[in-house]
Amino acid sequence: MKKRTIYSWGAAIVIFVVLMIVTPTIPQSQAYHDFADQRTFFGIPNALNVISNFPFLIIGLIGLVLCFYPDDYFRFSLRGEKLGWTCFFVGVAAVAFGSSYYHLHPDDARLVWDRLPMTIAFTSIMAIFVIERIDEHKGTYSIVPLLLVGLVSILYWRFFDDLRPYALVQFVPCIVIPLMAILLPPMYTHSTYWLWAAGFYLLAKVEEAADKPIYSWTHHILSGHSIKHVCAAMVPVFLTLMLAKRSVQAERISLYKTWKISWTRSKGKGTEEESFECTYTNVAVEEARLDQPGDMGLSFRFVDQVLLNSQTLLSFPHLMIISACLLIAVFSYHSFKPTCIYLIDFSCYQPPDFLRSPIANFIEHLNLSGIFDRDCLDLQQKILERSGIGDDACVPVTVHEIPPHSSLSAAREETHDILFTVVQDLFSKHKIDPKSIDILVSNCSLFCPSPSITSIIINKFGMRSNLKSFSLSGMGCSAGLLSINLVKDLMKIHSGSLALVLSMEAVSPNGYKGKCKSMLIANTIFRMGGAAILLSNREQDKDKAKYKLQHLIRTHLGSDDESYESVMQEVDEEGLVGVALSKQLVKVASKALKINVVELGPRVLPYSEQLKYIISFIKRKWGKHKEKEVYTPNFKKAFEHFCIHAGGRAIIEGVEKHLKLEKEDGEASRTTLHRYGNTSSSSLWYEMQYLEAKGRMKKGDRVWQIGFGSGFKANSAVWKCVSEIDSRDKNAWSDRIHLYPVCGDASG
């Protein structure tokens, strides 16, 4: 072996090792198995993705038969050619079986049998090129090693969940083969068929990437993946035609040199007689004397030599320009198209009636516990009676005990009871396989166990090992919308994903037993509750989704001391831990909401309302007769429904006052506070379910969720109803929706 060859192989191996060290692993995304067209025909799941593989079998068998045709139909002239092309056509025919088997039930295990035949075809083509254009002996001896390299790349991916070696095996030939076809002189005629094959393969990859958009564009008739199979089958079709038509050419000249001749412009004025020869086909084409001047004469020569030549079909530059334009168009579409987040459904926890804690019972328990002195008892009773919380609100079992029992086990039991119930309800209703969940986010501000809450859910429902899970804590009552925002950001880079968001607050471990008045408030308003929300950015979920996320705006005032200290977990003088609520809480919430609304307003308000606000602002700032306050836009022209965090009567009334809403606009919030109490981050979802149960949510309606939390944070989410909501569907309000709103005062 020559030193040059040894050095080349050594350099290639070193480069490969360096790439494997410095580049991150590429795991197989489970979203890859989520194809747009999942319809069943004639009992065949994913029917069109399965049936569209049939052309591979036909062309593969035809190629094999012609390889061994008695009269040497393909006219192989080199020793290793027949073996290389036989391996190629075996791989093509096997694609029909492997790909069909995979698409019947797409998963990683079956994907092996889809990729193995394709790898055989890719590596065989590489060996064939070496045989024909570099060295016959080296190419023949490289067939088996290249096939083994392909096999190892698939085994490495399967056992180590790393696609890097397989990606090299698949994409290096896609780059090298067209370059070799252009730059290296061929032994046979009809070399442009290689470029047609490469063009169809590029088109197939574009269609694969645009699987779901194509399915949408064709009105759910054909998906990009099904069309991709047909386009990919055109690759062996063109190569078979090439083998059938080609012949050994006397003079070997590369396509690059041929095109260079074809594109050479006449230096004269175009009146002289010129002769151009496409020597790679051994067909001489003599140009007649043209009366047209320079550019026109060149145009006729180009048409005659390149376009009308039966062996050229279409010029490579044109082919590349068309392919590049298609590729740019598809990637531009994907780059600039906003990610749509669909809310498929959500479930709210409905505690059993035996966990109800009527106001009278709650006060009685406080008295019997023997923990608080008379001043503390009177304060808590006063807060309870003015809180707006009714007799149906519930607390965990351990809080019903005298004295209340708080422990890690109690908090775990409460968490299990709430989250297991709502998740199971959601999965059962929509027949969701837990392994299909790609993203899992939980939020619980004051209870952060180890293992985490998301780990508890993964263990309970047997979710897969590579899902993306996040457990948020310390975020306060606004954490529900923060979780939605996290999912929204994740879905920008993880297309075709299904996400589950869990929102709750554990009441069991967080009762305060001291005498600090600001910490006693939390004892009286927080109640048991939780919600599970199912989100998706998959195109096929569009038709079954309830809502579509339009806007999500976050405001954080942590840099302001007054805001930062308005809600804070701390230790009192006796060493007891509690959550202190500042007297300035409503003021801080109004300030945060104002900043949030300034950012949200231009996105949702009609121009007429924005203009009124601008005129009012100018008059107040620079007008002769300054107005006392700036005009508050009419947000009812932007939204049909309002869901204000049910943190307490003062919070709801403060928001209504700030936004100049009517009492009816806050009905869902008041009613949720009355029935379920302050369930922290999940309260917004109870309010949405109330609107659904009342039959008020109509297709096309927009709902504004407003959340507040420690830090201090104000968050807004705008949802648009995209389906017809059936008020008869069972939810957390179904058993007594007819009792609400409470007559006379929805606040209780």
Side-chain angles (χ1 to χ4, degrees), residues 133-154:
R133 307 205 179 198
I134 298 177
D135 187 278
E136 177 185 352
H137 298 290
K138 290 179 181 179
T140 302
Y141 292 133
S142 69
I143 293 175
V144 174
L146 285 172
L147 291 173
L148 289 176
V149 168
L151 177 61
V152 169
S153 72
I154 291 177

Side-chain angles (χ1 to χ4, degrees), residues 97-114:
F97 297 101
S99 184
S100 297
Y101 175 68
Y102 163 67
H103 283 95
L104 286 170
H105 184 73
D107 59 23
D108 284 354
R110 290 180 176 235
L111 186 56
V112 172
W113 303 105
D114 180 30

Side-chain angles (χ1 to χ4, degrees), residues 46-327:
N46 309 308
L48 290 185
N49 285 344
V50 173
I51 296 170
S52 57
N53 287 292
F54 185 68
F56 288 105
L57 178 61
I58 299 300
I59 191 61
L61 292 177
I62 291 174
L64 281 173
V65 170
L66 295 180
C67 277
F68 295 93
Y69 197 79
D71 297 333
D72 192 17
Y73 190 84
F74 284 153
R75 298 182 293 278
F76 295 124
S77 59
L78 300 176
R79 183 164 57 94
E81 279 190 297
K82 180 175 286 190
L83 176 59
W85 283 108
T86 299
C87 291
F88 171 74
F89 285 116
V90 166
V92 170
V95 165
F97 297 101
S99 184
S100 297
Y101 175 68
Y102 163 67
H103 283 95
L104 286 170
H105 184 73
D107 59 23
D108 284 354
R110 290 180 176 235
L111 186 56
V112 172
W113 303 105
D114 180 30
R115 286 176 170 168
L116 183 58
M118 289 190 290
T119 303
I120 293 173
F122 283 130
T123 52
S124 300
I125 288 293
M126 282 294 295
I128 289 166
F129 253 91
V130 175
I131 291 171
E132 181 188 332
R133 307 205 179 198
I134 298 177
D135 187 278
E136 177 185 352
H137 298 290
K138 290 179 181 179
T140 302
Y141 292 133
S142 69
I143 293 175
V144 174
L146 285 172
L147 291 173
L148 289 176
V149 168
L151 177 61
V152 169
S153 72
I154 291 177
L155 293 175
Y156 185 87
W157 154 63
R158 189 70 184 98
F159 287 103
F160 299 102
D161 194 22
D162 186 359
L163 285 169
R164 287 178 295 171
Y166 175 75
L168 288 174
V169 170
Q170 184 181 29
F171 292 110
V172 166
C174 296
I175 299 171
V176 172
I177 288 174
L179 288 176
M180 292 173 70
I182 295 168
L183 300 176
L184 298 181
M187 181 178 180
Y188 300 98
T189 60
H190 293 81
S191 287
T192 48
Y193 279 75
W194 284 108
L195 302 182
W196 275 93
F200 270 97
Y201 185 76
L202 174 63
L203 183 60
K205 299 306 290 184
V206 171
E207 289 163 346
E208 181 181 34
D211 180 30
K212 292 173 183 176
I214 290 175
Y215 192 55
S216 177
W217 295 339
T218 60
H219 300 285
H220 298 181
I221 297 174
L222 290 173
S223 69
H225 202 82
S226 299
I227 302 175
K228 170 242 181 180
H229 286 164
V230 178
C231 260
M234 292 301 296
V235 174
V237 167
F238 270 94
L239 296 183
T240 304
L241 289 173
M242 178 191 71
L243 291 174
K245 290 186 174 186
R246 71 182 187 174
S247 60
V248 178
Q249 60 182 12
E251 184 179 358
R252 299 179 65 166
I253 183 170
S254 68
L255 288 176
Y256 171 73
K257 289 185 178 179
T258 302
W259 293 332
K260 191 174 181 181
I261 294 172
S262 300
W263 284 86
T264 300
R265 301 185 63 171
S266 175
K267 293 182 179 180
K269 297 182 179 180
T271 57
E272 299 178 3
E273 182 180 301
E274 295 186 67
S275 178
F276 290 84
E277 191 175 88
C278 296
T279 52
Y280 75 96
T281 61
N282 207 28
V283 178
V285 179
E286 185 174 304
E287 296 297 326
R289 183 182 181 90
L290 299 174
D291 295 329
Q292 293 85 351
D295 289 340
M296 187 63 71
L298 179 61
S299 300
F300 276 95
R301 287 195 300 276
F302 174 75
V303 170
D304 191 31
Q305 287 182 219
V306 181
L307 295 183
L308 299 184
N309 189 325
S310 63
Q311 295 185 11
T312 308
L313 297 179
L314 186 65
S315 71
F316 180 68
H318 279 184
L319 180 66
M320 292 303 295
I321 290 170
I322 293 171
S323 301
C325 289
L326 287 172
L327 195 61

Side-chain angles (χ1 to χ4, degrees), residues 437-472:
I437 299 298
D438 302 293
I439 301 170
L440 177 63
V441 179
S442 72
N443 62 267
C444 185
S445 190
L446 297 177
F447 179 56
C448 187
S450 183
S452 65
I453 291 177
T454 51
S455 296
I456 293 171
I457 298 299
I458 292 169
N459 176 262
K460 170 65 178 178
F461 292 95
M463 295 179 175
R464 66 174 195 263
S465 59
N466 64 339
L467 90 165
K468 302 157 191 68
S469 61
F470 305 86
S471 292
L472 307 182

Side-chain angles (χ1 to χ4, degrees), residues 118 489 508 554 616 703:
M118 289 190 290
D489 290 341
S508 302
R554 294 174 52 183
S616 174
V703 56

